[in-house]
Tab-separated table of all heavy atoms in Angstrom:
chain	number	residue	atom	x	y	z
A	254	TYR	N	-23.472	-1.691	-26.609
A	254	TYR	CA	-23.020	-3.021	-27.026
A	254	TYR	C	-24.104	-4.072	-26.762
A	254	TYR	O	-24.231	-5.049	-27.505
A	254	TYR	CB	-21.732	-3.393	-26.303
A	254	TYR	CG	-20.501	-2.682	-26.821
A	254	TYR	CD1	-20.036	-1.527	-26.210
A	254	TYR	CD2	-19.809	-3.159	-27.924
A	254	TYR	CE1	-18.910	-0.853	-26.677
A	254	TYR	CE2	-18.682	-2.507	-28.404
A	254	TYR	CZ	-18.234	-1.355	-27.778
A	254	TYR	OH	-17.121	-0.697	-28.252
A	255	GLY	N	-24.886	-3.855	-25.694
A	255	GLY	CA	-25.983	-4.768	-25.431
A	255	GLY	C	-27.038	-4.717	-26.515
A	255	GLY	O	-27.556	-5.755	-26.956
A	256	ALA	N	-27.367	-3.506	-26.982
A	256	ALA	CA	-28.385	-3.341	-28.024
A	256	ALA	C	-27.954	-3.982	-29.344
A	256	ALA	O	-28.800	-4.448	-30.122
A	256	ALA	CB	-28.685	-1.860	-28.229
A	257	SER	N	-26.654	-4.015	-29.597
A	257	SER	CA	-26.173	-4.587	-30.857
A	257	SER	C	-25.916	-6.090	-30.746
A	257	SER	O	-25.472	-6.716	-31.721
A	257	SER	CB	-24.882	-3.887	-31.292
A	257	SER	OG	-23.827	-4.163	-30.380
A	258	GLY	N	-26.160	-6.668	-29.563
A	258	GLY	CA	-26.017	-8.105	-29.391
A	258	GLY	C	-24.599	-8.583	-29.165
A	258	GLY	O	-24.335	-9.790	-29.229
A	259	VAL	N	-23.693	-7.659	-28.851
A	259	VAL	CA	-22.297	-8.038	-28.657
A	259	VAL	C	-22.049	-8.580	-27.249
A	259	VAL	O	-21.168	-9.415	-27.041
A	259	VAL	CB	-21.377	-6.828	-28.946
A	259	VAL	CG1	-19.922	-7.169	-28.669
A	259	VAL	CG2	-21.553	-6.375	-30.383
A	260	ILE	N	-22.822	-8.125	-26.271
A	260	ILE	CA	-22.628	-8.554	-24.883
A	260	ILE	C	-23.052	-10.009	-24.709
A	260	ILE	O	-24.134	-10.412	-25.136
A	260	ILE	CB	-23.433	-7.664	-23.917
A	260	ILE	CG1	-22.935	-6.221	-23.958
A	260	ILE	CG2	-23.380	-8.217	-22.497
A	260	ILE	CD1	-21.572	-6.011	-23.369
A	261	ASP	N	-22.193	-10.784	-24.073
A	261	ASP	CA	-22.509	-12.157	-23.701
A	261	ASP	C	-22.861	-12.168	-22.214
A	261	ASP	O	-21.985	-11.984	-21.357
A	261	ASP	CB	-21.299	-13.055	-23.966
A	261	ASP	CG	-21.554	-14.512	-23.564
A	261	ASP	OD1	-22.667	-14.811	-23.091
A	261	ASP	OD2	-20.629	-15.331	-23.716
A	262	PRO	N	-24.119	-12.384	-21.853
A	262	PRO	CA	-24.530	-12.276	-20.441
A	262	PRO	C	-24.178	-13.494	-19.591
A	262	PRO	O	-24.382	-13.468	-18.372
A	262	PRO	CB	-26.044	-12.121	-20.548
A	262	PRO	CG	-26.400	-12.862	-21.800
A	262	PRO	CD	-25.246	-12.661	-22.755
A	263	SER	N	-23.648	-14.553	-20.177
A	263	SER	CA	-23.376	-15.758	-19.395
A	263	SER	C	-22.232	-15.521	-18.420
A	263	SER	O	-21.313	-14.740	-18.693
A	263	SER	CB	-23.035	-16.929	-20.325
A	263	SER	OG	-21.912	-16.618	-21.129
A	264	PRO	N	-22.263	-16.186	-17.258
A	264	PRO	CA	-21.201	-16.006	-16.258
A	264	PRO	C	-19.843	-16.456	-16.802
A	264	PRO	O	-19.762	-17.310	-17.687
A	264	PRO	CB	-21.655	-16.896	-15.092
A	264	PRO	CG	-23.110	-17.125	-15.317
A	264	PRO	CD	-23.309	-17.102	-16.793
A	265	LEU	N	-18.801	-15.903	-16.243
A	265	LEU	CA	-17.439	-16.275	-16.615
A	265	LEU	C	-17.191	-17.723	-16.191
A	265	LEU	O	-17.292	-18.064	-15.011
A	265	LEU	CB	-16.448	-15.331	-15.940
A	265	LEU	CG	-14.982	-15.443	-16.342
A	265	LEU	CD1	-14.789	-15.084	-17.802
A	265	LEU	CD2	-14.137	-14.518	-15.463
A	266	ALA	N	-16.855	-18.567	-17.160
A	266	ALA	CA	-16.792	-20.004	-16.895
A	266	ALA	C	-15.748	-20.367	-15.851
A	266	ALA	O	-15.941	-21.297	-15.061
A	266	ALA	CB	-16.514	-20.735	-18.208
A	267	LYS	N	-14.631	-19.650	-15.832
A	267	LYS	CA	-13.527	-20.012	-14.936
A	267	LYS	C	-13.584	-19.290	-13.592
A	267	LYS	O	-12.671	-19.437	-12.777
A	267	LYS	CB	-12.191	-19.710	-15.619
A	267	LYS	CG	-11.970	-20.496	-16.897
A	267	LYS	CD	-10.654	-20.103	-17.568
A	267	LYS	CE	-10.447	-20.862	-18.870
A	267	LYS	NZ	-9.184	-20.459	-19.539
A	268	TRP	N	-14.641	-18.520	-13.359
A	268	TRP	CA	-14.753	-17.742	-12.126
A	268	TRP	C	-14.950	-18.677	-10.942
A	268	TRP	O	-15.833	-19.542	-10.942
A	268	TRP	CB	-15.907	-16.764	-12.243
A	268	TRP	CG	-16.089	-15.864	-11.059
A	268	TRP	CD1	-15.135	-15.130	-10.439
A	268	TRP	CD2	-17.314	-15.601	-10.368
A	268	TRP	NE1	-15.678	-14.407	-9.401
A	268	TRP	CE2	-17.018	-14.675	-9.337
A	268	TRP	CE3	-18.626	-16.034	-10.529
A	268	TRP	CZ2	-18.003	-14.199	-8.468
A	268	TRP	CZ3	-19.603	-15.552	-9.671
A	268	TRP	CH2	-19.282	-14.651	-8.648
A	269	GLN	N	-14.145	-18.540	-9.916
A	269	GLN	CA	-14.217	-19.407	-8.735
A	269	GLN	C	-13.774	-18.627	-7.509
A	269	GLN	O	-12.662	-18.787	-7.012
A	269	GLN	CB	-13.333	-20.643	-8.948
A	269	GLN	CG	-13.466	-21.697	-7.860
A	269	GLN	CD	-12.687	-22.944	-8.212
A	269	GLN	OE1	-12.923	-23.561	-9.236
A	269	GLN	NE2	-11.740	-23.314	-7.362
A	270	PRO	N	-14.629	-17.755	-6.978
A	270	PRO	CA	-14.234	-16.916	-5.831
A	270	PRO	C	-13.921	-17.749	-4.599
A	270	PRO	O	-14.649	-18.671	-4.255
A	270	PRO	CB	-15.450	-16.013	-5.619
A	270	PRO	CG	-16.593	-16.730	-6.252
A	270	PRO	CD	-16.014	-17.501	-7.402
Side-chain angles (χ1 to χ4, degrees):
Y254 285 96
S257 66
V259 176
I260 296 291
D261 179 0
S263 58
L265 188 64
K267 299 177 182 179
W268 182 49
Q269 187 174 302

